[in-house]
Amino acid sequence: MTIPSHDCRFVKTIQRRALMGAALVLPVWLTDISQAASTGLTFRLKGSDFSVSGQVQSYDGKNYIVDTPRFGEVHLDAAKFDCSGSDCPTAPITAKPTAPARPALEKPPVVAALALAQPPARIGSRITLSGTDAIARQLMPQLIEAYATSIKATVGIAAVSPPGQSKYVIAPAGGGDGIEISVRGHGTDQGFADLEKGAAQIVMASRPIAAEESTRLSTLGLGNFRLPTHEHALALDGLMILVAPRNPAVSVSIEQLAQILSGQISDWSQLNLPPGKITVYTAPATIDTTDTLTALLLKPRGLTLTPTAQKTTNNTDLADQVSRDPGGIGISAMIPRPTAKALTVETSCGLIVKPSLFAVKTEEYPLSRQLYLYTAGIPSNPTARALLEFAMSAAAQPIIRNLDYVDRDIQALSFADQTDRLAYALNAAPDDFDLKLARTMISELRARNRLSLTLRFQPITDDLSSKANADLNHLIAYLSAPENLTKRAMLIGFGDATGTFLANLKLSERRTATLYRALLAQAQGKIDLTRLSMSSYGKLAPVACNDSVTHRSLNRRVEVWLQN
């Protein structure tokens, strides 16, 4: 079928993570959707030959939710679609129990099949985002769609060619010039290369910018990419290690997990557990779990995923299959209440971390990574600037959560829920420990909750990281919320294990004071200074090993604790 170049009918998509990869492989035109096999009732767009067929799941008097054979759930506006068939609902109904069963998904996908009433007469603004496929394939299309909704516009897929590249057109509701957004998912390295050539305005990155990339871009006059005007922490991605509930395994080390995934460890007896063949389960390539485990575990060790790994349809299906397989082990995104048992992760220095959203948000869970957007300063293009602001806003956080990434919303965890990490600190070597100071720390923190927002510094400096600078605004908003306004907050500084205990204690005090001054400068009277205090504890309570620059940077931190 040939689509004329002037055809203006786009599809507005709001797809869940599990289906996004498949749904965007081809240009999706409304005329294509109407060719789906007819099942149940038919809904025809008024004044058009376009129709959607399927089983009605619910009707609230204004909108139908229709289960279609090809696209799953489709939301249709009753004012725009006529229902034909003897069973068309005339009064609101809830979901039908007789609807055909569908494969289980983490959260049901939603597809809105709506035509752009009028295409833009011309394109007034064009921008390009380039970088990691982890953001390009799933997260960015959702953010673009939500951004269009926020400005009361509609969005359609103009093209998806060549592979890994999509083009979206946003049409303002009241007419006027349109916006064209190209999204290229060819890797973080390529994203920075495109920014260097001027071929992209925003880089989508699954890692921090490398020193040589930052130096090269700075030499070109594009600024310092360690500043919060250039580096934008978008979301976090974390993995869970799942086994069957009756599996006696409790924890697994990073090295052991890499060997299991690559097939070097193939029997549980190799881990001093009852013998049995290990079966590895992974999510499909359209879900970013496999990409994340490759980046975090396999690629750094020169390993590849075992060819015997069993592919599942989505994260929930993976957990279900693992729970039924006594020898199974699976790598899943951070899904709530999985049916399988989650293992703790043991680091090279013996620190054991439980998988949780809180641990990912503090960046202390080993199987997690930060996803970034990079720009050459504040974008001069209004569309690039507006899209970036939306992606970093509170309105974007539900989208991030719904795609099984970890958002930046602040959580609180009680002192009692952190006894494991404090117990590890109490077992430290004499040179890294001070009993009197440890007792003081426990006394100060016992009646407080730790916030997931943890502020860190640039490597080998006392300068706040770009994420910490941005997080100060989130912290001010949290502390100034009505429910927290009268609570006492404490900034708790820690250091790494390099040097003497006293030297690190003084360094942590200095960094905490630096953060305190930055917080006051940004707060501008929004928080009660009489309810904010500081303490520092140097090497006590490490959250990572001290075997690399990255891990030492994790230990050089300021935690925020709030009165119960």
Side-chain angles (χ1 to χ4, degrees), residues 139-198:
L139 184 50
M140 191 50 64
Q142 293 276 346
L143 292 173
I144 290 171
E145 199 282 334
Y147 164 69
T149 300
S150 74
I151 61 173
K152 304 187 186 319
T154 49
V155 62
I157 305 169
V160 189
S161 178
Q165 182 169 321
S166 302
K167 188 176 292 183
Y168 304 87
V169 171
I170 294 177
D177 291 349
I179 298 168
E180 184 179 279
I181 302 176
S182 295
V183 180
R184 301 172 181 170
H186 299 299
T188 299
D189 294 356
Q190 186 61 48
F192 285 117
D194 285 343
L195 183 67
E196 182 179 350
K197 294 183 295 185

Side-chain angles (χ1 to χ4, degrees), residues 196-215:
E196 182 179 350
K197 294 183 295 185
Q201 291 74 48
I202 300 176
V203 177
M204 304 169 290
S206 58
R207 58 166 174 79
I209 187 170
E212 59 272 19
E213 291 167 332
S214 180
T215 299

Side-chain angles (χ1 to χ4, degrees), residues 12 56 126 204 261 320 372 387 407 422 447 487 492 518 538 549 551:
K12 177 186 177 187
V56 176
R126 288 182 170 86
M204 304 169 290
L261 294 174
D320 290 344
Y372 299 89
L387 180 60
D407 60 66
L422 294 175
K487 294 181 179 179
I492 309 292
V549 172
H551 289 161

Side-chain angles (χ1 to χ4, degrees), residues 347-349 363 366 456 495-496 542-557:
T347 63
S348 60
C349 58
E363 300 179 81
R456 292 186 168 85
D496 61 32
V543 295
C545 301
N546 281 280
D547 54 0
S548 69
V549 172
T550 300
H551 289 161
R552 287 190 289 274
S553 294
L554 290 175
N555 283 327
R556 292 196 296 269
R557 70 197 188 279

Side-chain angles (χ1 to χ4, degrees), residues 23-38:
L24 298 184
V25 170
L26 297 172
V28 185
W29 298 86
L30 293 177
T31 47
D32 291 335
I33 298 176
S34 64
Q35 295 173 359
S38 178

Side-chain angles (χ1 to χ4, degrees), residues 14 179 191 203 208-209 406 424 500 541:
I14 314 176
I179 298 168
V203 177
I209 187 170
V406 179
Y424 176 86
T500 67

